[in-house]
Amino acid sequence: MINVTKIYLPPLEDYVDYLRRIWKSGWVTNNGELVQELEKALAEYLRVPYVQYVSNGTIGLQIALRALNVHGEVITTPFSYVATVNAIMWEHCNPVFVDIDPQSYCIDVNKLEAAITERTRAILGVHVYGFPCDVSRIQELAKKYKLKVIYDAAHAFGCELNGVSLLNYGDLSVLSFHATKLFHTIEGGAIVSQNLDMADTIWKLKSFGHRNDDYSVVGINGKNSEFHAAMGLCVLPKVEELIEKRRQVLGWYRHFLDGLDLSLLCHGEGLRYNYSYCPALFKDEKQLLRVVSEMRKREIIPRRYFYPALNTLPFVNGQECPVAEDISRRILCLPLSVDLEEQQVETICNIISDSLRIT
Ligand SMILES: *Cc1c(COP(=O)(O)O)cnc(C)c1O
């Protein structure tokens, strides 16, 4: 079976070395040595000022909304994983959907301004597949209307725009380190902030709202453990290798799918990309469904990522977003993992090519 993603597990001995340290210290959670080491290593690797490790990306988004004191309307994208809108609604904010740009698949900045009302408090953009939102236009609009900006950067680990980490845009960026992501800690996530005050607020919010005897805010338990941090410390030194391997696999897909009636998405200029996904856009949903069913017969499991468009979910009061609705119906993430072989990619592409030939 070939799944859409396959978890990368580092050499077991590396993990065991960290386990020995945990056994020696007897410290398993609550801002331990390994959590601190991971936060420091991540800040260095990602070239960002402050990184706070949390239990997962979803709680990271919720804490980010709290830290910025966001209540009311939050402008967001319909083309993302459901966690983005869940976090907004779980925090009792109202999502307002703005359609996506057909090139970048991120929120369309040309439609954004029209959606701003006096109730708007924040913009929550998503760097979908690691493709950057139009961060400078969003910054301008946020300044003009005094809005907070949060980026769901779950896909943007290591992405840089013109030499600057994408995570340094907006007030806060949130990463996910779930097992299926490029860099992972089994479960986990992080919030990237730009100043010490904000970093301190986030620290308290994720630690029940207090530091020692100073109980100043209502908090939650958003911490993560030494065991999870240990996995991160094992995976981080391999990340460059993992990105390179993914780049290679994507190259094979491009080669074998060349000339077929579908498009593989490309990132724009000036981006240091992380090759985290392999989204393929089909001519129509019928073709996509045929490809999925032929692949399943051969135990190859792609994923409709993202489908359906979030504005159409039954529990949201969604505005119409024709571009996102159309793209969600036609887009498929092809299997991409570091141990995929050229032969397997060729097999997958042959199945696609055969399915497209049947009309
Ligand atoms: C994975 C993902 C999340 C959720 O992250 P978790 O760590 O699994 O909670 C949020 N947003 C996007 C876009 C994601 O892909």
Side-chain angles (χ1 to χ4, degrees), residues 107 109 112-113 116 122-125 127 133-151 161 164-173 194:
I107 197 161
V109 284
L112 215 160
E113 193 162 13
I116 298 174
I123 300 168
L124 203 173
H127 303 302
C133 292
D134 188 338
V135 286
S136 14
R137 270 311 298 290
I138 291 177
Q139 202 161 307
E140 278 168 30
L141 289 171
K143 195 162 171 222
K144 182 168 170 193
Y145 294 97
K146 298 193 168 51
L147 305 175
K148 305 292 187 194
V149 178
I150 299 172
Y151 287 110
L161 193 57
V164 177
S165 169
L166 262 190
L167 308 169
N168 282 335
Y169 288 94
D171 294 285
L172 297 172
S173 289
Q194 301 295 318

Side-chain angles (χ1 to χ4, degrees), residues 145-204:
Y145 294 97
K146 298 193 168 51
L147 305 175
K148 305 292 187 194
V149 178
I150 299 172
Y151 287 110
D152 178 336
H155 300 176
F157 190 91
C159 288
E160 290 180 2
L161 193 57
N162 305 317
V164 177
S165 169
L166 262 190
L167 308 169
N168 282 335
Y169 288 94
D171 294 285
L172 297 172
S173 289
V174 179
L175 292 156
S176 164
F177 303 151
H178 183 256
T180 54
K181 314 287 181 189
L182 167 70
F183 167 81
H184 81 92
T185 67
I186 311 169
E187 289 275 359
I191 306 174
V192 171
S193 54
Q194 301 295 318
N195 65 69
L196 189 58
D197 275 354
M198 185 47 74
D200 188 58
T201 303
I202 293 163
W203 195 94
K204 275 193 212 147

Side-chain angles (χ1 to χ4, degrees), residues 55-61 79-84 126-128 152-155 174-181 187-189 277 305-306:
S55 16
N56 56 66
T58 307
I59 208 84
L61 288 169
F79 192 63
S80 181
Y81 183 54
V82 69
T84 313
V126 181
H127 303 302
V128 178
D152 178 336
H155 300 176
V174 179
L175 292 156
S176 164
F177 303 151
H178 183 256
T180 54
K181 314 287 181 189
E187 289 275 359
Y277 294 90
Y305 202 57
F306 305 103

Side-chain angles (χ1 to χ4, degrees), residues 248-265 277-282 287 291 295 302 332-336 340 342 344-357:
Q248 190 182 26
V249 176
L250 268 164
W252 294 333
Y253 271 117
R254 282 197 187 287
H255 172 71
F256 291 119
L257 292 174
D258 191 37
L260 294 185
D261 197 8
L262 63 87
S263 51
L264 286 184
L265 308 191
Y277 294 90
C278 182
L281 187 67
F282 290 86
Q287 292 204 332
V291 167
M295 281 192 183
L332 188 68
C333 280
L334 303 177
L336 181 59
L340 211 55
E342 187 171 3
Q344 293 173 302
V345 174
E346 188 175 7
T347 306
I348 295 169
C349 296
N350 285 340
I351 297 172
I352 297 175
S353 139
D354 289 346
S355 316
L356 294 187
R357 223 174 283 130

